[in-house]
């Protein structure tokens, strides 16, 4: 059967990962239908700052959407890693790795606007929340509501990319989820010195924090810590908050001058424990979530999308959704996903605790890393391409 008369692959969730998958399929002439709960355009004002790796930029470039994003993205040319209370520090520089940038900071809404502009209207149904996914006689079936009517569609393959917060009891979707016990506070801050395209990653005894260059002068702040301490930071007036930030972050960017609205969300680590059900595959945040310390989670999700479309494009349509095809896909993703989770856990556990004696080692570690080029190459490859 040619792909032209094949039932379309259904994607549940038209967030960034679902849409990247759909646009890549569309580009290859593969039949696809996205079911998205929200109205298209509803997230275009979402200012959440995503850190895109250089590898993610390559994926977006391949889809022809990077040009629309680039003008509103802020390049990260240097990553500066330090630890509160120690002299050790290391710097990763794009130039040293022959890259035009180590990554980019982009608002979720900017990315969504570019992706919504690229998806063919016939390939997406918006305001169509999916309520159930099940397997049925060699295919999968999806129930969704559209214009107040409950409708069902069948497909050889249902790709679940709904972010991990709405569907339960789906075949193949068994997750091992644990709370890190930490929350992340996110906001935008301005400070005395210009950012010079440097992203700062700082480990403190209570949790890691990051300042990501965003726009001409501002930084996006991600400050993680125990829920009670993040709750406390949310209650402070702006001036006191900025003083606390200065104390925790140090003097590298001068005094902090202003802070925008502060929001927080709980940090979860979750991964699939079983994903061997034919006709259903889970990708993006729905498949794994990790601590934001190394900016890995979202980029791992885009690589899921890229690899899955590669698998579909090189399989016969009759094989779509088969156990063999999905196992082949899972094999290509295992190392990246596991590596991302382990790498993230390593950073959180090693650099953000107050075990006596570790501090000196960490300081030495960061100092050594600064002069040990193979280790820096490993870090840049891991963060850029998941390798
Ligand atoms: C509150 C919050 C704040 C965050 N802040 C940051 C941040 O500051 N920086 C950062 O790098 N990362 C942040 N993240 C993580 C980041 O948003 C994710 O890595 C990224 O959005 C994952 O993309 P995705 O496409 O897999 O999922 P999502 O972006 O969650 O997209 C899922 C899509 O599926 C749709 N959907 C959900 N359920 C259904 C359903 N049943 N039927 C149909 N459609 C459905 C949703 O409407 C949505 O459009 C944050 C996450 C959360 C939850």
């Amino acid at each position: 059967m040619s792909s032209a008369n094949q039932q379309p692959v259904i994607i549940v969730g038209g967030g960034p990962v679902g849409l990247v998958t759909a646009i890549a399929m569309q580009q290859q002439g593969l039949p696809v239908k996205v079911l998205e709960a929200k109205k298209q355009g509803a997230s275009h004002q979402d200012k959440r700052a995503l850190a895109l790796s250089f590898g993610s930029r390559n994926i977006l470039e391949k889809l022809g959407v990077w040009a629309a994003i680039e003008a509103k993205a802020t390049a990260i040319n240097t990553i500066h890693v330090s630890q509160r209370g120690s002299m050790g520090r290391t710097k990763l520089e794009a130039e040293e790795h022959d890259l035009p940038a180590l990554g980019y900071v982009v608002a979720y809404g900017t990315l969504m606007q570019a992706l919504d502009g690229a998806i063919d209207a016939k390939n997406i149904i918006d305001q169509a929340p999916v309520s159930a996914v099940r397997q049925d006689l060699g295919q999968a079936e999806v129930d969704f509501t559209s214009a107040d009517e409950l409708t069902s569609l069948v497909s050889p393959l249902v790709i679940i990319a709904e972010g991990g917060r709405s569907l339960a009891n789906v075949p193949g979707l068994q997750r091992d989820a644990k709370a890190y016990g930490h929350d992340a506070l996110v906001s935008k801050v301005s400070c005395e010195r210009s950012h010079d395209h440097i992203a700062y990653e700082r480990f403190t005894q209570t949790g890691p924090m990051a300042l990501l260059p965003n726009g001409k002068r501002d930084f996006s702040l991600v400050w993680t810590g125990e829920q009670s301490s993040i709750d406390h930071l949310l209650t402070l007036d702006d001036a006191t908050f900025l003083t606390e930030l200065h104390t925790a972050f140090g003097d590298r960017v001068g005094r902090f001058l202003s802070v925008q609205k502060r929001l927080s969300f709980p940090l979860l680590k979750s991964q699939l424990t079983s994903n061997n059900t034919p006709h259903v595959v889970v990708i993006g945040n729905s498949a794994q979530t990790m601590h934001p310390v190394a900016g890995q989670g979202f980029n791992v999700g885009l690589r899921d999308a890229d690899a899955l479309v590669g698998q579909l494009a090189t399989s016969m349509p009759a094989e779509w959704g088969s156990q063999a095809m999905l196992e082949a896909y899972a094999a290509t993703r295992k190392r990246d996903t596991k590596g991302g989770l382990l790498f993230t856990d390593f950073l959180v556990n090693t650099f953000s605790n107050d075990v006596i004696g570790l501090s000196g080692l960490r300081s030495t570690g960061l100092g050594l890393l600064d002069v040990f080029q193979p280790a820096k190459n490993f870090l840049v490859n891991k963060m850029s391409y998941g390798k």
Side-chain angles (χ1 to χ4, degrees):
M1 201 198 296
S2 86
S3 62
N5 48 25
Q6 175 89 11
Q7 290 275 22
V9 166
I10 293 173
I11 300 178
V12 179
V17 171
L19 285 184
V20 161
T21 313
I23 295 163
M25 288 187 67
Q26 180 180 289
Q27 206 175 47
Q28 309 242 15
L30 307 177
V32 63
K33 185 76 81 187
V34 178
L35 302 173
E36 163 56 39
K38 289 192 243 150
K39 191 170 159 52
Q40 237 186 334
S43 56
H44 291 182
Q45 299 312 316
D46 191 329
K47 299 264 188 306
R48 179 185 327 174
L50 298 173
L52 293 187
S53 67
F54 192 74
S56 292
R57 170 212 159 122
N58 289 345
I59 292 174
L60 296 168
E61 207 157 31
K62 225 169 34 176
L63 298 184
V65 294
W66 177 248
I69 296 167
E70 189 169 20
K72 294 182 188 160
T74 308
I76 299 174
N77 296 338
T78 305
I79 300 177
H80 181 289
V81 187
S82 65
Q83 200 203 354
R84 190 174 175 197
S86 101
M87 298 296 285
R89 65 113 179 94
T90 193
K91 263 195 199 179
L92 304 172
E93 311 258 14
E95 254 182 11
E96 275 182 16
H97 299 271
D98 287 330
L99 291 169
L102 290 171
Y104 300 85
V105 179
V106 178
Y108 186 95
T110 300
L111 178 62
M112 284 302 296
Q113 202 167 356
L115 296 172
D116 277 335
I119 184 87
D120 197 323
K122 73 173 180 356
N123 291 338
I124 184 164
I125 307 179
D126 67 352
Q127 302 178 83
V130 169
S131 48
V133 178
R134 59 186 166 273
Q135 275 179 277
D136 190 28
L137 298 176
Q139 57 193 0
E141 189 165 10
V142 168
D143 296 339
F144 64 101
T145 308
S146 181
D148 288 332
E149 229 174 85
L150 187 64
T151 312
S152 296
L153 278 179
V154 292
S155 171
L157 179 64
V158 171
I159 301 172
I160 298 185
E162 47 69 78
R165 283 177 299 152
S166 72
L167 286 176
N169 305 322
V170 172
L173 207 166
Q174 278 151 26
R175 296 192 186 98
D176 175 16
K178 91 166 201 258
Y180 276 103
H182 279 193
D183 281 8
L185 178 153
V186 288
S187 186
K188 216 168 168 187
V189 294
S190 69
C191 56
E192 272 180 326
R193 301 202 191 119
S194 67
H195 57 57
D196 260 346
H197 297 274
I198 303 173
Y200 294 91
E201 185 81 60
R202 187 159 173 83
F203 294 94
T204 75
Q205 280 79 356
T206 49
M209 62 199 300
L211 282 178
L212 306 172
N214 190 351
K216 278 214 169 72
R217 283 195 62 93
D218 292 348
F219 282 101
S220 282
L221 167 70
V222 185
W223 192 347
T224 70
E226 282 184 10
Q227 192 190 4
S228 55
S229 71
I230 295 297
D231 283 348
H232 165 71
L233 291 171
L234 289 171
T235 61
L236 299 176
D237 63 72
D238 285 1
T240 317
F241 175 81
L242 292 171
T243 307
E244 293 239 348
L245 177 58
H246 195 192
T247 308
F249 185 74
D251 222 16
R252 288 199 163 86
V253 293
R255 270 183 317 121
F256 290 95
L257 303 176
S258 66
V259 57
Q260 297 183 13
K261 191 168 176 199
R262 287 165 259 161
L263 299 170
S264 76
F265 60 94
L267 297 177
L268 280 182
K269 173 183 174 181
S270 93
Q271 57 188 318
L272 294 174
T273 50
S274 134
N275 185 23
N276 55 8
T277 313
H279 309 293
V280 177
V281 64
V282 190
I283 62 172
N285 253 40
S286 194
Q288 65 270 320
T289 54
M290 43 193 96
H291 195 289
V293 56
Q296 289 284 293
F298 177 68
N299 296 295
V300 171
L302 285 197
R303 296 197 287 269
D304 286 347
D306 192 50
L308 181 57
V309 177
Q311 199 70 45
L312 284 166
T314 53
S315 308
M316 297 299 289
E319 294 164 342
W320 291 354
S322 66
Q323 184 90 28
M325 187 222 127
L326 293 181
E327 274 173 10
Y329 161 73
T332 65
R333 299 303 302 136
K334 206 169 168 181
R335 188 157 168 252
D336 186 12
T337 309
K338 267 222 154 95
L341 285 159
L342 285 174
F343 177 55
T344 302
D345 273 6
F346 164 77
L347 291 177
V348 176
N349 296 331
T350 310
F351 288 100
S352 289
N353 61 54
D354 46 12
V355 177
I356 296 165
L358 262 189
S359 170
L361 274 180
R362 285 186 297 242
S363 173
T364 315
L366 282 177
L368 281 179
L369 181 59
D370 202 46
V371 292
F372 190 50
Q373 197 58 35
K376 286 172 130 186
N377 293 344
F378 167 80
L379 270 182
V380 170
N381 267 331
K382 181 96 215 120
M383 293 198 285
S384 302
Y385 310 110
K387 290 180 185 147

